[in-house]
Amino acid sequence: MEEINIYGYMRVSSKEQNEDRQKIALTEMGVPENNIYMDKQSGKDFERTQYKRLLRKLNENSVLYIKSIDRLGRNYGELNEQWRIITKEKKADIVVIDMPLLDTRREKNLLGTFISDVVLALLSYVAENERTNIKQRQAEGIAAAKARGVKFGRPPLPIPENFYQMHKDWRAGKITIEEAAKACNMCPKTFYSKAVKYEKSKLNSSCVLTEMVYISSNRIHKTILTYCITKSVEIQ
């Protein structure tokens, strides 16, 4: 009888998430550390480097341990397809630590296969449904944050001191936009974007100033007119 090779697979959705809980569970099941494969990636599909490496290793003398079914994936259709590839094509066994019913080493008869298939289908549905809910909660959270005025993305870089002179020279045709951008340590696209914003802000300021002058002028005219009318009444 050939030796059984034990493997483990871990997945976290982002670099910030901690994988220690999964690693501890796998090592407690006797999975050698050098046989543990991990991806830091979403579970929406199986385009994952380490998972593909693991899949090439599996054969009929392999047992694959995972902490929970959603660590393998969260896409209902693809999760069921990968389960079929591992158990039917590769003929390897899978053990889901958090769900003892999903242990293909047990009950190799028709009833055992039926129970595993039903439990897998149910858990796959729950995993994908949770992924959908997570995306919806994220979208709602982002929308609520934007409504509160929260800004996302990197903060804009401060405008360099020579920007205004470069802008003036560029608009005067003394230099090209590439030369102006290079002098400001920017790419031409960024320089142009900031130039447009600067010109709009100047235009808005000019409009506000014109309006203020107009309002002030009207007030002066009204004051003079009122004074003249008052004096006229006094003379009469």
Side-chain angles (χ1 to χ4, degrees):
M1 185 176 180
E2 292 190 40
E3 182 182 354
I4 299 297
N5 296 309
I6 300 175
Y7 297 96
Y9 180 72
M10 306 189 304
R11 183 187 64 80
V12 290
S13 297
S14 67
K15 293 180 180 179
E16 288 75 27
Q17 287 185 315
N18 194 304
E19 66 274 6
D20 289 348
R21 189 168 58 90
Q22 295 179 65
K23 192 171 185 178
I24 291 170
L26 294 175
T27 52
E28 285 179 349
M29 298 304 294
V31 181
E33 192 167 339
N34 61 338
N35 278 3
I36 295 176
Y37 293 78
M38 182 183 71
D39 284 302
K40 292 194 175 186
Q41 202 170 328
S42 165
K44 65 179 181 179
D45 56 42
F46 285 84
E47 290 301 315
R48 309 178 212 142
T49 304
Q50 293 303 311
Y51 177 76
K52 289 180 176 181
R53 286 185 60 198
L54 167 66
L55 201 59
R56 289 195 291 268
K57 295 273 187 180
L58 298 178
N59 56 39
E60 59 187 2
N61 297 309
S62 304
V63 177
L64 171 62
Y65 284 89
I66 53 175
K67 177 77 168 64
S68 57
I69 196 66
D70 63 341
R71 296 304 88 199
L72 188 59
R74 285 188 180 275
N75 181 300
Y76 179 85
E78 291 197 29
L79 185 51
N80 280 272
E81 175 61 13
Q82 292 301 314
W83 185 279
R84 185 195 66 78
I85 290 171
I86 293 170
T87 58
K88 301 295 193 295
E89 293 184 13
K90 298 287 186 176
K91 300 188 184 301
D93 282 310
I94 304 179
V95 178
V96 181
I97 299 171
D98 286 352
M99 179 52 65
L101 281 173
L102 287 178
D103 181 347
T104 60
R105 298 171 303 177
R106 304 173 53 185
E107 301 294 339
K108 293 286 188 179
N109 55 27
L110 185 61
L111 178 61
T113 301
F114 172 74
I115 292 172
S116 290
D117 288 348
V118 169
V119 174
L120 174 64
L122 177 61
L123 292 180
S124 301
Y125 168 78
V126 170
E128 178 161 354
N129 191 54
E130 176 60 18
R131 175 173 169 263
T132 302
N133 290 338
I134 288 171
K135 290 178 68 178
Q136 183 177 346
R137 289 195 294 269
Q138 286 175 339
E140 289 171 352
I142 291 170
K146 284 182 176 179
R148 295 195 305 271
V150 176
K151 301 292 184 182
F152 291 89
R154 293 182 300 177
L157 294 173
I159 292 178
E161 292 180 3
N162 65 337
F163 173 81
Y164 303 105
Q165 185 59 49
M166 293 301 105
H167 171 267
K168 183 178 179 181
D169 292 346
W170 167 58
R171 283 303 189 193
K174 295 179 181 179
I175 58 175
T176 65
I177 191 170
E178 288 79 11
E179 290 170 334
K182 186 176 181 181
C184 293
N185 271 336
M186 298 177 183
C187 68
K189 186 177 179 181
T190 302
F191 181 87
Y192 181 78
S193 174
K194 290 189 179 294
V196 170
K197 287 182 181 178
Y198 170 60
E199 289 163 5
K200 282 183 178 179
S201 67
K202 281 184 67 178
L203 180 61
N204 291 338
S205 298
S206 177
C207 290
V208 170
L209 183 59
T210 302
E211 187 176 353
M212 288 174 67
V213 170
Y214 176 75
I215 292 171
S216 298
S217 178
N218 278 348
R219 285 175 180 171
I220 292 169
H221 290 159
K222 284 181 181 178
T223 302
I224 294 171
L225 181 61
T226 303
Y227 176 78
C228 291
I229 292 171
T230 304
K231 285 298 179 182
S232 175
V233 170
E234 287 176 357
I235 292 170
Q236 290 177 1

